[in-house]
mmCIF file of all heavy atoms in Angstrom:
data_model
loop_
_atom_site.group_PDB
_atom_site.id
_atom_site.type_symbol
_atom_site.label_atom_id
_atom_site.label_comp_id
_atom_site.label_asym_id
_atom_site.label_seq_id
_atom_site.Cartn_x
_atom_site.Cartn_y
_atom_site.Cartn_z
ATOM 1 N N SER A 493 2.351 54.251 18.215
ATOM 2 C CA SER A 493 2.509 52.876 17.755
ATOM 3 C C SER A 493 1.299 52.445 16.949
ATOM 4 O O SER A 493 0.162 52.847 17.229
ATOM 5 C CB SER A 493 2.690 51.936 18.946
ATOM 6 O OG SER A 493 2.810 50.608 18.471
ATOM 7 N N LYS A 494 1.533 51.637 15.937
ATOM 8 C CA LYS A 494 0.419 51.061 15.185
ATOM 9 C C LYS A 494 -0.158 49.868 15.917
ATOM 10 O O LYS A 494 -1.133 49.273 15.496
ATOM 11 C CB LYS A 494 0.870 50.703 13.775
ATOM 12 C CG LYS A 494 1.986 49.687 13.711
ATOM 13 C CD LYS A 494 2.207 49.165 12.315
ATOM 14 C CE LYS A 494 3.035 50.095 11.483
ATOM 15 N NZ LYS A 494 3.833 49.367 10.468
ATOM 16 N N PHE A 495 0.444 49.494 17.048
ATOM 17 C CA PHE A 495 -0.039 48.378 17.855
ATOM 18 C C PHE A 495 0.026 48.826 19.308
ATOM 19 O O PHE A 495 1.081 48.776 19.947
ATOM 20 C CB PHE A 495 0.839 47.140 17.597
ATOM 21 C CG PHE A 495 0.375 45.910 18.298
ATOM 22 C CD1 PHE A 495 -0.740 45.195 17.827
ATOM 23 C CD2 PHE A 495 1.031 45.415 19.422
ATOM 24 C CE1 PHE A 495 -1.179 44.047 18.474
ATOM 25 C CE2 PHE A 495 0.595 44.265 20.066
ATOM 26 C CZ PHE A 495 -0.510 43.581 19.580
ATOM 27 N N ALA A 496 -1.129 49.294 19.798
ATOM 28 C CA ALA A 496 -1.135 49.914 21.126
ATOM 29 C C ALA A 496 -0.632 48.945 22.199
ATOM 30 O O ALA A 496 -0.077 49.369 23.232
ATOM 31 C CB ALA A 496 -2.546 50.391 21.463
ATOM 32 N N GLY A 497 -0.773 47.640 21.940
ATOM 33 C CA GLY A 497 -0.325 46.638 22.914
ATOM 34 C C GLY A 497 1.176 46.683 23.149
ATOM 35 O O GLY A 497 1.676 46.113 24.126
ATOM 36 N N ALA A 498 1.926 47.346 22.245
ATOM 37 C CA ALA A 498 3.393 47.394 22.406
ATOM 38 C C ALA A 498 3.832 48.572 23.243
ATOM 39 O O ALA A 498 5.019 48.752 23.482
ATOM 40 C CB ALA A 498 4.051 47.455 21.039
ATOM 41 N N LEU A 499 2.850 49.407 23.685
ATOM 42 C CA LEU A 499 3.232 50.571 24.489
ATOM 43 C C LEU A 499 3.330 50.196 25.958
ATOM 44 O O LEU A 499 2.418 49.567 26.518
ATOM 45 C CB LEU A 499 2.192 51.690 24.307
ATOM 46 C CG LEU A 499 2.147 52.326 22.912
ATOM 47 C CD1 LEU A 499 0.970 53.284 22.812
ATOM 48 C CD2 LEU A 499 3.454 53.048 22.616
ATOM 49 N N SER A 500 4.408 50.567 26.570
ATOM 50 C CA SER A 500 4.591 50.295 27.996
ATOM 51 C C SER A 500 3.737 51.263 28.806
ATOM 52 O O SER A 500 3.173 52.212 28.264
ATOM 53 C CB SER A 500 6.052 50.457 28.372
ATOM 54 O OG SER A 500 6.356 51.841 28.371
ATOM 55 N N ASP A 501 3.709 51.066 30.110
ATOM 56 C CA ASP A 501 2.947 51.963 30.965
ATOM 57 C C ASP A 501 3.486 53.388 30.863
ATOM 58 O O ASP A 501 2.791 54.366 31.051
ATOM 59 C CB ASP A 501 2.991 51.497 32.424
ATOM 60 C CG ASP A 501 2.287 50.146 32.568
ATOM 61 O OD1 ASP A 501 1.500 49.804 31.649
ATOM 62 O OD2 ASP A 501 2.561 49.441 33.554
ATOM 63 N N GLU A 502 4.791 53.496 30.532
ATOM 64 C CA GLU A 502 5.403 54.843 30.388
ATOM 65 C C GLU A 502 5.123 55.460 29.023
ATOM 66 O O GLU A 502 5.518 56.585 28.741
ATOM 67 C CB GLU A 502 6.926 54.785 30.591
ATOM 68 C CG GLU A 502 7.381 54.606 32.023
ATOM 69 C CD GLU A 502 7.263 53.171 32.507
ATOM 70 O OE1 GLU A 502 7.508 52.251 31.700
ATOM 71 O OE2 GLU A 502 6.851 52.970 33.663
ATOM 72 N N GLY A 503 4.500 54.700 28.136
ATOM 73 C CA GLY A 503 4.101 55.250 26.849
ATOM 74 C C GLY A 503 5.103 55.049 25.719
ATOM 75 O O GLY A 503 4.893 55.523 24.605
ATOM 76 N N ASP A 504 6.203 54.341 25.985
ATOM 77 C CA ASP A 504 7.135 54.087 24.878
ATOM 78 C C ASP A 504 6.877 52.703 24.279
ATOM 79 O O ASP A 504 6.278 51.845 24.911
ATOM 80 C CB ASP A 504 8.601 54.210 25.352
ATOM 81 C CG ASP A 504 8.851 53.447 26.632
ATOM 82 O OD1 ASP A 504 8.324 52.342 26.777
ATOM 83 O OD2 ASP A 504 9.561 53.985 27.512
ATOM 84 N N ILE A 505 7.339 52.554 23.048
ATOM 85 C CA ILE A 505 7.269 51.210 22.438
ATOM 86 C C ILE A 505 8.368 50.397 23.079
ATOM 87 O O ILE A 505 9.506 50.852 23.190
ATOM 88 C CB ILE A 505 7.481 51.312 20.905
ATOM 89 C CG1 ILE A 505 6.290 52.003 20.251
ATOM 90 C CG2 ILE A 505 7.713 49.926 20.317
ATOM 91 C CD1 ILE A 505 6.382 52.137 18.745
ATOM 92 N N ARG A 506 8.017 49.195 23.516
ATOM 93 C CA ARG A 506 8.996 48.430 24.281
ATOM 94 C C ARG A 506 8.971 46.972 23.846
ATOM 95 O O ARG A 506 7.914 46.343 23.832
ATOM 96 C CB ARG A 506 8.621 48.537 25.762
ATOM 97 C CG ARG A 506 9.715 48.117 26.693
ATOM 98 C CD ARG A 506 9.376 48.517 28.117
ATOM 99 N NE ARG A 506 9.528 49.957 28.363
ATOM 100 C CZ ARG A 506 9.607 50.499 29.576
ATOM 101 N NH1 ARG A 506 9.527 49.726 30.641
ATOM 102 N NH2 ARG A 506 9.731 51.790 29.727
ATOM 103 N N VAL A 507 10.107 46.463 23.441
ATOM 104 C CA VAL A 507 10.232 45.022 23.170
ATOM 105 C C VAL A 507 11.475 44.525 23.872
ATOM 106 O O VAL A 507 12.481 45.235 23.958
ATOM 107 C CB VAL A 507 10.314 44.710 21.652
ATOM 108 C CG1 VAL A 507 8.977 44.838 20.971
ATOM 109 C CG2 VAL A 507 11.360 45.549 20.936
ATOM 110 N N GLU A 508 11.376 43.306 24.369
ATOM 111 C CA GLU A 508 12.526 42.750 25.087
ATOM 112 C C GLU A 508 12.757 41.331 24.607
ATOM 113 O O GLU A 508 11.802 40.628 24.253
ATOM 114 C CB GLU A 508 12.236 42.742 26.591
ATOM 115 C CG GLU A 508 13.404 42.261 27.436
ATOM 116 C CD GLU A 508 13.054 42.268 28.925
ATOM 117 O OE1 GLU A 508 13.072 43.351 29.537
ATOM 118 O OE2 GLU A 508 12.732 41.177 29.444
ATOM 119 N N GLY A 509 14.001 40.911 24.594
ATOM 120 C CA GLY A 509 14.291 39.557 24.165
ATOM 121 C C GLY A 509 15.395 38.919 24.970
ATOM 122 O O GLY A 509 16.135 39.594 25.694
ATOM 123 N N LYS A 510 15.459 37.592 24.850
ATOM 124 C CA LYS A 510 16.504 36.834 25.544
ATOM 125 C C LYS A 510 17.065 35.807 24.574
ATOM 126 O O LYS A 510 16.410 35.491 23.565
ATOM 127 C CB LYS A 510 15.908 36.073 26.734
ATOM 128 C CG LYS A 510 15.382 36.961 27.802
ATOM 129 C CD LYS A 510 14.887 36.176 29.018
ATOM 130 C CE LYS A 510 14.436 37.212 30.052
ATOM 131 N NZ LYS A 510 14.240 36.765 31.359
ATOM 132 N N VAL A 511 18.229 35.302 24.902
ATOM 133 C CA VAL A 511 18.764 34.195 24.097
ATOM 134 C C VAL A 511 18.509 32.924 24.884
ATOM 135 O O VAL A 511 18.890 32.801 26.038
ATOM 136 C CB VAL A 511 20.281 34.394 23.850
ATOM 137 C CG1 VAL A 511 20.898 33.137 23.246
ATOM 138 C CG2 VAL A 511 20.510 35.598 22.925
ATOM 139 N N LYS A 512 17.792 31.975 24.225
ATOM 140 C CA LYS A 512 17.495 30.696 24.896
ATOM 141 C C LYS A 512 18.037 29.575 24.032
ATOM 142 O O LYS A 512 17.705 29.506 22.837
ATOM 143 C CB LYS A 512 15.988 30.522 25.077
ATOM 144 C CG LYS A 512 15.382 31.584 25.982
ATOM 145 C CD LYS A 512 13.923 31.273 26.300
ATOM 146 C CE LYS A 512 13.395 32.296 27.288
ATOM 147 N NZ LYS A 512 12.014 32.028 27.658
ATOM 148 N N ASP A 513 18.888 28.761 24.574
ATOM 149 C CA ASP A 513 19.561 27.680 23.830
ATOM 150 C C ASP A 513 20.186 28.212 22.547
ATOM 151 O O ASP A 513 20.062 27.609 21.471
ATOM 152 C CB ASP A 513 18.576 26.537 23.490
ATOM 153 C CG ASP A 513 18.029 25.884 24.740
ATOM 154 O OD1 ASP A 513 18.804 25.810 25.727
ATOM 155 O OD2 ASP A 513 16.854 25.488 24.734
ATOM 156 N N GLY A 514 20.773 29.367 22.628
ATOM 157 C CA GLY A 514 21.475 29.938 21.472
ATOM 158 C C GLY A 514 20.569 30.618 20.471
ATOM 159 O O GLY A 514 21.020 31.148 19.465
ATOM 160 N N THR A 515 19.242 30.624 20.739
ATOM 161 C CA THR A 515 18.314 31.231 19.783
ATOM 162 C C THR A 515 17.668 32.465 20.396
ATOM 163 O O THR A 515 17.243 32.438 21.564
ATOM 164 C CB THR A 515 17.180 30.207 19.438
ATOM 165 O OG1 THR A 515 17.812 29.003 19.072
ATOM 166 C CG2 THR A 515 16.291 30.691 18.317
ATOM 167 N N PRO A 516 17.567 33.553 19.622
ATOM 168 C CA PRO A 516 16.922 34.743 20.171
ATOM 169 C C PRO A 516 15.416 34.572 20.305
ATOM 170 O O PRO A 516 14.763 34.033 19.404
ATOM 171 C CB PRO A 516 17.253 35.846 19.148
ATOM 172 C CG PRO A 516 17.843 35.190 17.975
ATOM 173 C CD PRO A 516 18.122 33.768 18.274
ATOM 174 N N HIS A 517 14.899 34.986 21.434
ATOM 175 C CA HIS A 517 13.448 34.891 21.689
ATOM 176 C C HIS A 517 12.913 36.277 22.035
ATOM 177 O O HIS A 517 13.597 37.059 22.706
ATOM 178 C CB HIS A 517 13.182 33.986 22.893
ATOM 179 C CG HIS A 517 13.199 32.533 22.575
ATOM 180 N ND1 HIS A 517 12.162 31.688 22.871
ATOM 181 C CD2 HIS A 517 14.128 31.785 21.946
ATOM 182 C CE1 HIS A 517 12.465 30.472 22.468
ATOM 183 N NE2 HIS A 517 13.660 30.493 21.908
ATOM 184 N N LEU A 518 11.679 36.536 21.631
ATOM 185 C CA LEU A 518 10.992 37.732 22.077
ATOM 186 C C LEU A 518 10.314 37.387 23.385
ATOM 187 O O LEU A 518 9.559 36.393 23.451
ATOM 188 C CB LEU A 518 9.949 38.142 21.020
ATOM 189 C CG LEU A 518 9.090 39.348 21.340
ATOM 190 C CD1 LEU A 518 9.925 40.637 21.339
ATOM 191 C CD2 LEU A 518 7.954 39.501 20.323
ATOM 192 N N THR A 519 10.575 38.171 24.438
ATOM 193 C CA THR A 519 10.023 37.798 25.743
ATOM 194 C C THR A 519 9.098 38.867 26.350
ATOM 195 O O THR A 519 8.443 38.617 27.348
ATOM 196 C CB THR A 519 11.156 37.504 26.736
ATOM 197 O OG1 THR A 519 12.057 38.611 26.727
ATOM 198 C CG2 THR A 519 11.897 36.240 26.378
ATOM 199 N N LEU A 520 9.092 40.047 25.719
ATOM 200 C CA LEU A 520 8.201 41.081 26.262
ATOM 201 C C LEU A 520 7.779 42.020 25.136
ATOM 202 O O LEU A 520 8.602 42.449 24.336
ATOM 203 C CB LEU A 520 8.951 41.903 27.331
ATOM 204 C CG LEU A 520 8.098 42.882 28.107
ATOM 205 C CD1 LEU A 520 7.420 42.213 29.296
ATOM 206 C CD2 LEU A 520 8.948 44.050 28.629
ATOM 207 N N VAL A 521 6.470 42.302 25.105
ATOM 208 C CA VAL A 521 5.952 43.314 24.172
ATOM 209 C C VAL A 521 5.135 44.281 25.013
ATOM 210 O O VAL A 521 4.156 43.859 25.653
ATOM 211 C CB VAL A 521 5.071 42.674 23.091
ATOM 212 C CG1 VAL A 521 4.468 43.745 22.195
ATOM 213 C CG2 VAL A 521 5.859 41.681 22.262
ATOM 214 N N GLY A 522 5.529 45.544 25.066
ATOM 215 C CA GLY A 522 4.846 46.480 25.961
ATOM 216 C C GLY A 522 4.849 45.894 27.353
ATOM 217 O O GLY A 522 5.896 45.481 27.853
ATOM 218 N N PRO A 523 3.653 45.781 28.007
ATOM 219 C CA PRO A 523 3.622 45.205 29.352
ATOM 220 C C PRO A 523 3.406 43.688 29.347
ATOM 221 O O PRO A 523 3.320 43.061 30.396
ATOM 222 C CB PRO A 523 2.419 45.900 29.994
ATOM 223 C CG PRO A 523 1.512 46.214 28.833
ATOM 224 C CD PRO A 523 2.373 46.365 27.597
ATOM 225 N N PHE A 524 3.319 43.071 28.157
ATOM 226 C CA PHE A 524 2.930 41.658 28.063
ATOM 227 C C PHE A 524 4.141 40.738 27.943
ATOM 228 O O PHE A 524 4.981 40.919 27.050
ATOM 229 C CB PHE A 524 2.040 41.422 26.835
ATOM 230 C CG PHE A 524 0.774 42.209 26.848
ATOM 231 C CD1 PHE A 524 0.664 43.394 26.124
ATOM 232 C CD2 PHE A 524 -0.313 41.772 27.587
ATOM 233 C CE1 PHE A 524 -0.498 44.130 26.134
ATOM 234 C CE2 PHE A 524 -1.497 42.516 27.600
ATOM 235 C CZ PHE A 524 -1.590 43.699 26.878
ATOM 236 N N SER A 525 4.189 39.741 28.800
ATOM 237 C CA SER A 525 5.235 38.727 28.680
ATOM 238 C C SER A 525 4.824 37.715 27.650
ATOM 239 O O SER A 525 3.693 37.217 27.667
ATOM 240 C CB SER A 525 5.438 37.989 30.014
ATOM 241 O OG SER A 525 5.938 38.893 30.951
ATOM 242 N N VAL A 526 5.704 37.382 26.734
ATOM 243 C CA VAL A 526 5.444 36.340 25.731
ATOM 244 C C VAL A 526 6.716 35.502 25.651
ATOM 245 O O VAL A 526 7.699 35.782 26.300
ATOM 246 C CB VAL A 526 5.119 36.936 24.344
ATOM 247 C CG1 VAL A 526 3.804 37.667 24.351
ATOM 248 C CG2 VAL A 526 6.227 37.857 23.854
ATOM 249 N N ASP A 527 6.684 34.497 24.818
ATOM 250 C CA ASP A 527 7.924 33.765 24.574
ATOM 251 C C ASP A 527 7.828 33.144 23.186
ATOM 252 O O ASP A 527 7.196 32.120 22.992
ATOM 253 C CB ASP A 527 8.117 32.670 25.643
ATOM 254 C CG ASP A 527 9.488 32.046 25.498
ATOM 255 O OD1 ASP A 527 10.244 32.436 24.577
ATOM 256 O OD2 ASP A 527 9.831 31.163 26.316
ATOM 257 N N VAL A 528 8.431 33.821 22.248
ATOM 258 C CA VAL A 528 8.350 33.319 20.879
ATOM 259 C C VAL A 528 9.721 33.450 20.223
ATOM 260 O O VAL A 528 10.405 34.446 20.389
ATOM 261 C CB VAL A 528 7.224 34.069 20.083
ATOM 262 C CG1 VAL A 528 7.418 35.550 20.092
ATOM 263 C CG2 VAL A 528 7.109 33.580 18.668
ATOM 264 N N SER A 529 10.099 32.357 19.552
ATOM 265 C CA SER A 529 11.423 32.336 18.924
ATOM 266 C C SER A 529 11.430 33.338 17.767
ATOM 267 O O SER A 529 10.485 33.388 16.977
ATOM 268 C CB SER A 529 11.678 30.913 18.443
ATOM 269 O OG SER A 529 12.593 30.919 17.417
ATOM 270 N N LEU A 530 12.504 34.126 17.668
ATOM 271 C CA LEU A 530 12.533 35.164 16.638
ATOM 272 C C LEU A 530 13.066 34.596 15.320
ATOM 273 O O LEU A 530 14.213 34.856 14.924
ATOM 274 C CB LEU A 530 13.361 36.346 17.122
ATOM 275 C CG LEU A 530 12.671 37.221 18.176
ATOM 276 C CD1 LEU A 530 13.610 38.232 18.780
ATOM 277 C CD2 LEU A 530 11.450 37.915 17.593
ATOM 278 N N GLU A 531 12.230 33.813 14.672
ATOM 279 C CA GLU A 531 12.601 33.254 13.377
ATOM 280 C C GLU A 531 11.420 33.465 12.450
ATOM 281 O O GLU A 531 10.274 33.421 12.870
ATOM 282 C CB GLU A 531 12.863 31.751 13.494
ATOM 283 C CG GLU A 531 14.114 31.421 14.269
ATOM 284 C CD GLU A 531 14.172 29.967 14.696
ATOM 285 O OE1 GLU A 531 13.163 29.489 15.280
ATOM 286 O OE2 GLU A 531 15.179 29.337 14.446
ATOM 287 N N GLY A 532 11.681 33.626 11.187
ATOM 288 C CA GLY A 532 10.602 33.800 10.224
ATOM 289 C C GLY A 532 9.920 35.138 10.410
ATOM 290 O O GLY A 532 10.579 36.172 10.469
ATOM 291 N N ASN A 533 8.583 35.106 10.541
ATOM 292 C CA ASN A 533 7.822 36.361 10.690
ATOM 293 C C ASN A 533 6.962 36.258 11.949
ATOM 294 O O ASN A 533 6.840 35.191 12.543
ATOM 295 C CB ASN A 533 6.924 36.563 9.467
ATOM 296 C CG ASN A 533 7.770 36.622 8.207
ATOM 297 O OD1 ASN A 533 8.644 37.456 8.065
ATOM 298 N ND2 ASN A 533 7.516 35.677 7.288
#
Side-chain angles (χ1 to χ4, degrees):
S493 179
K494 60 169 82 149
F495 185 75
L499 292 173
S500 73
D501 295 342
E502 285 79 37
D504 48 40
I505 291 181
R506 195 168 286 197
V507 285
E508 184 180 282
K510 295 184 177 195
V511 170
K512 297 188 176 182
D513 297 326
T515 309
H517 279 234
L518 178 68
T519 52
L520 188 86
V521 176
F524 300 99
S525 293
V526 292
D527 188 359
V528 56
S529 156
L530 286 171
E531 290 165 310
N533 301 301

